[in-house]
Every structure is written in C-alpha cells, then in structure tokens.
Amino acid sequence: MLKPLFLVVLGAALPLVALADPMVLGAASTRAALDDSIAQSGIAAVTSYGASGVLARQIEQGAPADLFISANPKWMTHLVEAGIVRPEDVAVLMSNTLVLIAPEGAAPLEPSGIAARVAGDNFAMADPEVAPVGVYGREAMETLGLWGDVESHFVPTRNTTATLAAVAQGEAALGLVYGSDAAGQSGVTVVWEIPAESHRPIQYLVAPVGQGDDADGAQALLSYLQGPDGARILTRHGFVPVAGGS
C-alpha cells in the first residue's frame, strides 16, 4: 500500500504506471531526446521529467524509479551518499555544449561584439542559483572575460525553456543555453558556440535505481541509449554521447 499512497502524494509529478513498464526519471533538458529514444527503441517505458534536484528528492522519498538521468552530477552523488544508487553503477551518458542565441536570422557574433549586441537590451540565462546551465554559463563568461559585458543586462530566467522564449519573442538580444536546447528550435539562431575549455565538463549521469518494478526493462533501455542507435538520436538532439558510458 505504500507505493500507491506515494504516487497520490506526488500527484502530477509521477504518473500511475503499469507494473510491467520501467519508470525513468530524467532531467528536463533530456525530454525530447529521451522520448525519441524510447520511441525508436521499441522498449515500453514511463517517463517523468523535472529539475534534477527535485527528481533526486523524489527518489530519496521512495519514488518507484528504475532509472535516473541527472543533468547535475551533485544530485547523483547525493543518491550515492544516501545509499540508494551504487557508485559502480553510475555512468556518464552524454555531455552538452553552451551556445549564445539571438532572434532568428541574426548574424554570427564574435566575442568582441557581445557588449554592443546587448547595449540597451537584455541578456537572458537561467538563474545560476537554481539551474546548472546558469552555473556553467556564468563560469564560461567569467573565464573568457565576458561577464562584465553582460552583467548589467542579465535577466535571470527559470530555465532554458524560458530563455529560448525570451529570445524568440525579442525580449532579449542574446541568451545562453545548452546546445541541445537550441537544436532545431524555431525563433532563435545560434550566433556563437562557447569554447568547451571555458567551463567544467557538462555531464549527464545515468544510473539504475532499483526502486521500480522493471529493472530488466530499464537495463535494456540503458543499453540502447549507450549503443550506436541511441548515440545517433542523442547527437541529433544536440547532445554529445559517451560511447558505452564511462
């Protein structure tokens, strides 16, 4: 009776599922790529997406998860330290890049032109206090000596979805998002790819959890994601897959 009660308490956070299907909890930025991968794999699975910290807390409280994909390594570490995930089961599934975006049709941008582009306008980025992409973004801009060009124009957003919307709607001259978030998005143009060496590696960690009802199904899905077909799908969605995990 504990599991149904937990699902009711979480409400919309976790859907009621058939016992035969693995439950996958994934960082919000993985939604499109993971949904596509599941569809192409032919493996039935139920997904729930959200901020990595929120999902980790749900798992810690007993959510019936079979697989967890975190965009923030510290939350996977949190579950390892809590004894819920075995450290030897954690793997790097994929990485990501950072890009600057502007409204659709904008010309490519050199770093020296950033200050002029945001003059009298806004620079949108997810709030570093709550979103990993904001942490990586600020770190990169500071490393490159560019934070001073945008700091007074910085408008923090809730997440990259909000950043994309702000730029597409002309509410910000520039925005900083993950490369995967910008891939195939209408209304915005990537104007500069931020050098990877300017920030810590962006790693998406994956691990089986073992609190759900289909560990075998979850392992099959993980194997697919780590294989060549999964890698092609992740690449198509703007991620950089790590072959076979690491």
Side-chain angles (χ1 to χ4, degrees):
M1 295 301 292
L2 290 178
K3 189 173 295 181
L5 176 60
F6 179 79
L7 291 172
V8 170
V9 171
L10 285 180
L14 292 174
L16 291 169
V17 301
L19 295 181
D21 295 337
M23 168 69 79
V24 182
L25 271 60
S29 55
T30 69
R31 179 190 295 267
L34 189 54
D35 283 350
D36 193 2
S37 297
I38 290 171
Q40 294 299 319
S41 72
I43 299 169
V46 176
T47 55
S48 181
Y49 299 106
S52 297
V54 172
L55 298 178
R57 293 296 188 191
Q58 291 179 353
I59 291 171
E60 190 174 26
Q61 293 167 13
D66 292 288
L67 197 65
F68 177 46
I69 302 175
S70 176
N72 191 333
K74 83 171 187 179
W75 289 110
M76 189 66 79
T77 299
H78 177 80
L79 294 181
V80 169
E81 292 176 345
I84 297 171
V85 169
R86 299 190 305 176
E88 62 268 28
D89 289 340
V90 179
V92 181
L93 177 63
M94 55 194 176
S95 62
N96 215 328
T97 59
L98 297 177
V99 298
L100 287 188
I101 56 172
E104 191 168 14
L109 182 65
E110 293 295 327
S112 58
I114 290 176
R117 187 70 68 90
V118 297
D121 213 315
N122 295 322
F123 173 77
M125 183 178 73
D127 189 347
E129 295 297 320
V130 298
V133 64
V135 175
Y136 293 123
R138 178 163 181 165
E139 179 183 342
M141 298 296 276
E142 288 179 338
T143 299
L144 296 167
L146 298 171
W147 183 247
D149 293 342
V150 300
E151 184 174 13
S152 62
H153 305 278
F154 174 44
V155 177
T157 63
R158 181 178 179 183
N159 50 40
T160 51
T161 299
T163 300
L164 288 166
V167 174
Q169 295 167 11
E171 297 172 358
L174 291 176
L176 189 153
V177 297
Y178 287 132
S180 62
D181 292 310
Q185 286 291 325
S186 60
V188 302
T189 296
V190 173
V191 293
W192 186 44
E193 296 183 0
I194 298 174
E197 60 270 19
S198 66
H199 57 83
R200 286 165 292 170
I202 301 170
Q203 296 182 329
Y204 286 73
L205 302 184
V206 62
V209 178
Q211 294 182 173
D213 296 294
D214 191 1
D216 291 341
Q219 184 57 55
L221 178 59
L222 177 56
S223 296
Y224 180 86
L225 291 170
Q226 294 176 323
D229 291 335
R232 281 191 288 271
I233 295 172
L234 296 177
T235 299
R236 185 164 69 240
H237 286 274
F239 292 98
V240 181
V242 176
S246 67

